[in-house]
Amino acid sequence: KINTYYLPGADVIHDGTSVKYTPPYRFYLMKTDTTDYSNPDNFYKPIFPGKTFTVDMDFHGDNGPACGCNINFYLVDMPVSLPGKDKDYYCDAQCFPDMGCCHEFDMN
């Protein structure tokens, strides 16, 4: 069985195998097609021990990012208890003002 996951707001291309990223967006991997980021049950939270996880970023495509673009892939434990400045319950390890503070794993 193949699982279906959702990236609300993302431009999914290449028959569902790629996402075209246009800054300044964040995308969240969800179990359902929702933007209710307040409910932890809506997020897909993979279990990684004993598994391999890879991410490919194409910086040379037809519409690749311009010089100076900073694209990162990171994993955080969302949601936090308050919606924060972007109203998405986002958090990261830098603990910015008006955002939640949580553990973070960066792949960049």
Side-chain angles (χ1 to χ4, degrees):
K1 175 185 171 200
I2 296 177
N3 295 324
T4 300
Y5 302 105
Y6 302 89
L7 288 168
D11 185 6
V12 180
I13 57 176
H14 301 130
D15 295 321
T17 62
S18 300
V19 174
K20 181 178 179 184
Y21 179 79
T22 307
Y25 303 111
R26 290 187 195 109
F27 299 121
Y28 305 114
L29 190 58
M30 309 299 283
K31 290 191 265 183
T32 61
D33 190 14
T34 182
T35 57
D36 177 7
Y37 302 127
S38 67
N39 183 348
D41 293 331
N42 290 339
F43 290 88
Y44 173 63
K45 296 184 179 188
I47 299 171
F48 289 118
K51 297 179 183 169
T52 301
F53 184 79
T54 62
V55 175
D56 296 321
M57 296 182 190
D58 179 7
F59 291 98
H60 304 291
D62 293 337
N63 296 311
C67 181
C69 184
N70 183 4
I71 295 179
N72 294 293
F73 185 90
Y74 46 95
L75 306 171
V76 295
D77 189 20
M78 287 179 58
V80 291
S81 59
L82 297 174
K85 70 178 184 78
D86 294 326
K87 309 291 187 242
D88 59 0
Y89 297 83
Y90 173 77
C91 62
D92 72 24
Q94 296 184 54
C95 305
F96 291 114
D98 297 324
M99 290 186 180
C101 188
C102 63
H103 296 287
E104 176 178 356
F105 178 78
D106 292 343
M107 298 172 66
N108 53 6

